[in-house]
Amino acid sequence: MNILTFDIGGTNIKYALCNEKFVLSDKHTIPTEAQNGGQALVNKIISIIEEYDNIDRVAISTAGQVDSENGIVVYSTDNIPYYTGMMVKKTIENKTGIKTFVENDVNAFALGESEFGAGKGKNNFVALTYGTGIGGALFLDGKLYKGMGSSAGEFGHMITHVGGKQCTCGGEGCYECYASTRALLQSVNKRNNINLNSFEIFEKENFQKPEIRSVIDKWIDEMIVGLVNIIYIFNPPLIILGGGIMNEDYVIDLIDRKIYSLLMDNFKDVNIVRSRLGSDAALLGVASKAAKL
């Protein structure tokens, strides 16, 4: 079986071919161009699908709250304008004739880690990804918990700063306004009047500058605040952290060094790890579901 699998984020679209053994090949990354809106985004996906022959299934992991049974984006923030209500599955199937599975990107991430990665063999864990925003997923009793309206796990929109920064969701003081990778970039670049990306921030010549390191440390403290709240609510045995920024050892190491001193003793058994699959997690998660259509 040949599955064309996509991971749509607010900044980039990753896609690859996946075979029946769930091995990925022919990987690509292109800009999402989210500012063009939901319809343009779906049209872009269709154009990519039409470049391939002999595709048996299409699998899509996407930003936004998703009704995966019907393949509909039930809600999206302005990170992708005019995406709310988009009937992704129906549109793609009508245009291409290929059975399609659609799921929220962090749910897809959790599915991938459960099947093939750090969550394999684990019945209960929490997953978060840090990027343009912050997404979350709950894996409870061996399956995803999606809540009413397929919207559970919106950890990025917990209020951590009352009356704080305006968020794309329409609220103020949301966790992702302070602890997302985008928040880190905005803070570093604004404070230092520079224009670095997330990789450049951690390059030695930048990372060793006290004025940059102090911003990074403050940002990690913001991450920890949200994680402590999640631990106290769910008391999970495992938290899996994803997003490209988690490739930086400093980030995961500082979280590990700081967070346990902030927890009550009976909550300290939680194991906090980075994704084992990295950027492949969501691609494999939706591919595993599409294969069963």
Side-chain angles (χ1 to χ4, degrees), residues 50-85:
E50 291 176 339
E51 294 175 2
Y52 288 82
D53 296 321
N54 302 318
I55 298 300
D56 300 298
R57 298 286 188 273
V58 171
I60 296 177
S61 154
T62 181
Q65 299 166 12
V66 175
D67 169 2
S68 58
E69 183 175 345
N70 297 298
I72 300 171
V73 178
V74 296
Y75 180 76
S76 174
T77 69
D78 286 342
N79 286 339
I80 305 178
Y82 312 113
Y83 202 30
T84 298

Side-chain angles (χ1 to χ4, degrees), residues 157-172:
H157 299 291
M158 299 185 298
I159 305 301
T160 57
H161 293 256
V162 175
K165 296 177 183 177
Q166 185 73 38
C167 183
T168 56
C169 74
E172 294 179 343

Side-chain angles (χ1 to χ4, degrees), residues 3-293:
I3 302 168
L4 186 57
T5 182
F6 294 84
D7 182 17
I8 301 170
T11 303
N12 292 312
I13 298 170
K14 303 179 185 71
Y15 64 98
L17 286 172
C18 181
N19 65 19
E20 67 279 359
K21 294 182 179 180
F22 298 103
V23 175
L24 299 176
S25 63
D26 193 33
K27 296 181 183 180
H28 299 270
T29 301
I30 60 173
T32 305
E33 297 179 320
Q35 71 278 3
N36 294 332
Q39 187 61 61
L41 174 55
V42 174
N43 290 342
K44 178 182 286 194
I45 297 301
I46 291 170
S47 295
I48 294 169
I49 296 168
E50 291 176 339
E51 294 175 2
Y52 288 82
D53 296 321
N54 302 318
I55 298 300
D56 300 298
R57 298 286 188 273
V58 171
I60 296 177
S61 154
T62 181
Q65 299 166 12
V66 175
D67 169 2
S68 58
E69 183 175 345
N70 297 298
I72 300 171
V73 178
V74 296
Y75 180 76
S76 174
T77 69
D78 286 342
N79 286 339
I80 305 178
Y82 312 113
Y83 202 30
T84 298
M86 189 66 60
M87 302 174 72
V88 179
K89 173 182 169 70
K90 182 177 180 180
T91 302
I92 291 174
E93 289 184 343
N94 286 348
K95 184 67 175 178
T96 67
I98 303 172
K99 288 185 178 181
T100 300
F101 176 77
V102 185
E103 181 58 278
N104 163 268
D105 52 0
V106 191
N107 285 342
F109 171 83
L111 287 168
E113 291 293 334
S114 174
E115 288 282 338
F116 311 105
K120 188 173 182 178
K122 308 294 184 182
N123 284 329
N124 299 284
F125 64 85
V126 175
L128 293 98
T129 59
Y130 294 79
T132 305
I134 297 174
L138 298 167
F139 206 82
L140 304 177
D141 296 327
K143 60 184 179 180
L144 280 172
Y145 174 75
K146 303 190 70 171
M148 185 172 63
S150 302
S151 303
E154 281 290 349
F155 301 131
H157 299 291
M158 299 185 298
I159 305 301
T160 57
H161 293 256
V162 175
K165 296 177 183 177
Q166 185 73 38
C167 183
T168 56
C169 74
E172 294 179 343
C174 293
Y175 182 41
E176 70 177 43
C177 293
Y178 299 87
S180 64
T181 302
R182 177 168 61 180
L184 172 64
L185 294 178
Q186 289 173 341
S187 296
V188 168
N189 290 331
K190 182 177 180 180
R191 177 170 173 175
N192 296 282
N193 195 27
I194 50 180
N195 187 26
L196 301 177
N197 62 38
S198 57
F199 301 104
E200 292 167 339
I201 286 173
F202 286 90
E203 289 176 351
K204 186 175 181 179
E205 63 270 24
N206 296 314
F207 182 67
Q208 291 183 340
K209 294 177 180 177
E211 63 271 23
I212 291 180
R213 180 76 69 86
S214 65
V215 176
I216 293 171
D217 288 352
K218 171 62 176 173
W219 168 73
I220 292 173
D221 286 341
E222 296 284 359
M223 295 176 70
I224 289 171
V225 166
L227 291 171
V228 167
N229 287 334
I230 291 166
I231 291 166
Y232 279 145
I233 294 168
F234 296 105
N235 196 15
L238 175 67
I239 296 178
I240 304 172
L241 304 181
I245 202 73
M246 290 302 159
N247 293 325
E248 302 295 339
D249 290 339
Y250 184 80
V251 177
I252 196 78
D253 289 347
L254 192 55
I255 291 172
D256 192 64
R257 290 203 305 271
K258 283 189 169 186
I259 195 167
Y260 294 100
S261 66
L262 303 175
L263 295 170
M264 290 186 285
D265 287 347
N266 55 324
F267 287 84
K268 291 183 178 183
D269 287 338
V270 60
N271 189 22
I272 302 173
V273 302
R274 77 178 94 200
S275 163
R276 191 172 297 166
L277 301 175
S279 61
D280 290 343
L283 294 170
L284 288 168
V286 283
S288 69
K289 299 291 283 189
K292 300 172 184 176
L293 292 177

